[in-house]
Amino acid sequence: MMRSKKHISNALIHILLAVLAILWLLPIFYVILTSFRAEPGSYKSYIWPRGFTLDNYVNLLTANTLINFPRWFLNTLIISFCTMIVSTLLILSVAYVMSRIQFKMRKPLMNIALVLGMFPGFMSMIAIYYILKGLGFLESGTLKQIALIMVYSGGAGLGFYIAKGFFDLIPTSLDEAAFLDGATKWDTFWQITVPLSKPIITYTLLGAFMGPWVDFIFAKVIMGNDIEHYTIAIGLWVMLEKEYVEYFYTQFYAGCVLISIPIAVLFLLTQKYYVESMGGSVKG
């Protein structure tokens, strides 16, 4: 009797998980399906396309005067990659300092960072815009891209709490042993802490890359009407404007599929190191 109840309970759990999985996968399936739809236009009274084509992808990747998706894709890739490197270095450095170095203002600075992290970044976008304008970073498209990297990376150090919590788990005895062997704090950070911190580095890299990759607000404010240097988020938004939506609707979904590829590739590449580091930590 108890076994039958347990089997029924497990079956109900599996059914619930299956329903949740379907609900989670359904929007993704719809996006992929629409990206191959042959019928143009936005609204349709049916979900399953009456014809399939690759023209949506071909037209999207063929640059024209209005929609230059390859250029936008490259712009976003460069900005996201540079931001990922700079932000990761800042986050890990601040986290290591807060975890390993004791100084007088350590706790007050941690509290200030915690409070500032509660405010959304777009609250300061008008002030940031005028600061960048005053410094001359809005004079050309290249300078605007550099400005975006600065904006995305500037406050990255405030997100050190998760990395600090991971560093706190690494025994300080390893640092002390390295100091006895003549290593500096910099040597200890790069040669001991970083190799043992692949999980948190992976997490930080993914977060730092995805932020600029999907951001719209700061990119739109800084780029303005400089269509050549748009990021993907702004470009996809342009496709859905009322004067273009009927023509670019299916191409918009093709773009949604394409922009998910770099994130998926980055995750697959870093997942290997995550699993290896977790296995190594268990063995140790």
Side-chain angles (χ1 to χ4, degrees):
M1 186 67 178
M2 293 296 294
R3 286 187 177 181
S4 61
K5 288 184 178 179
K6 186 176 181 180
H7 290 320
I8 294 174
S9 177
N10 290 336
L12 291 175
I13 292 175
H14 283 87
I15 292 173
L16 176 61
L17 292 176
V19 171
L20 292 176
I22 292 173
L23 292 176
W24 182 74
L25 292 173
L26 192 59
I28 300 175
F29 178 73
Y30 177 78
V31 170
I32 297 174
L33 203 63
T34 307
S35 70
F36 290 102
R37 194 180 76 189
E39 310 93 274
S42 56
Y43 174 76
K44 299 296 177 184
S45 59
Y46 51 88
I47 296 178
W48 191 267
R50 295 177 180 174
F52 294 90
T53 181
L54 291 173
D55 290 345
N56 297 325
Y57 289 90
V58 174
N59 295 334
L60 186 66
L61 296 176
T62 303
N64 56 62
T65 55
L66 179 62
I67 301 299
N68 192 347
F69 187 84
R71 178 62 185 269
W72 297 341
F73 191 94
L74 181 61
N75 292 340
T76 314
L77 190 63
I78 293 173
I79 293 172
S80 298
F81 182 79
C82 294
T83 302
M84 178 183 68
I85 299 300
V86 176
S87 296
T88 301
L89 289 174
L90 288 175
I91 292 173
L92 295 180
S93 299
V94 174
Y96 181 78
V97 169
M98 293 299 181
S99 174
R100 287 294 195 265
I101 302 177
Q102 301 292 330
F103 53 95
K104 187 176 181 180
M105 291 295 295
R106 177 174 172 270
K107 288 187 176 180
L109 287 176
M110 289 178 62
N111 293 332
I112 292 174
L114 182 63
V115 173
L116 291 177
M118 296 179 180
F119 294 92
F122 63 82
M123 290 181 60
S124 60
M125 64 181 180
I126 301 300
I128 290 175
Y129 174 82
Y130 282 108
I131 291 173
L132 293 174
K133 186 176 181 180
L135 294 175
F137 278 97
L138 304 182
E139 301 298 328
S140 67
T142 303
L143 288 176
K144 289 179 180 179
Q145 292 179 339
I146 296 175
L148 266 181
I149 296 172
M150 293 169 56
V151 169
Y152 293 140
S153 305
L158 294 176
F160 66 88
Y161 268 91
I162 296 177
K164 176 190 174 296
F166 188 92
F167 290 157
D168 289 342
L169 298 177
I170 299 176
T172 56
S173 58
L174 296 176
D175 296 2
E176 295 169 356
F179 295 150
L180 292 176
D181 291 336
T184 62
K185 291 186 180 297
W186 183 257
D187 296 331
T188 304
F189 174 68
W190 279 109
Q191 298 179 17
I192 296 178
T193 305
V194 169
L196 293 174
S197 305
K198 289 179 182 178
I200 196 60
I201 293 175
T202 298
Y203 171 84
T204 306
L205 286 171
L206 289 172
F209 182 86
M210 287 190 292
W213 190 259
V214 300
D215 176 68
F216 172 81
I217 297 178
F218 276 109
K220 180 59 179 174
V221 169
I222 293 176
M223 289 300 172
N225 294 321
D226 191 356
I227 191 170
E228 184 181 357
H229 294 88
Y230 273 0
T231 60
I232 288 179
I234 309 175
L236 293 177
W237 173 73
V238 170
M239 293 182 189
L240 293 182
E241 290 183 329
K242 61 181 181 179
E243 59 265 36
Y244 306 124
V245 64
E246 289 298 319
Y247 182 77
F248 291 112
Y249 186 76
T250 52
Q251 294 184 35
F252 166 82
Y253 282 93
C256 292
V257 173
L258 291 177
I259 66 174
S260 66
I261 294 176
I263 297 176
V265 171
L266 182 62
F267 176 79
L268 291 175
L269 290 176
T270 54
Q271 186 185 34
K272 178 181 67 174
Y273 299 103
Y274 179 84
V275 173
E276 289 179 354
S277 59
M278 290 299 290
S281 63
V282 172
K283 292 178 182 177

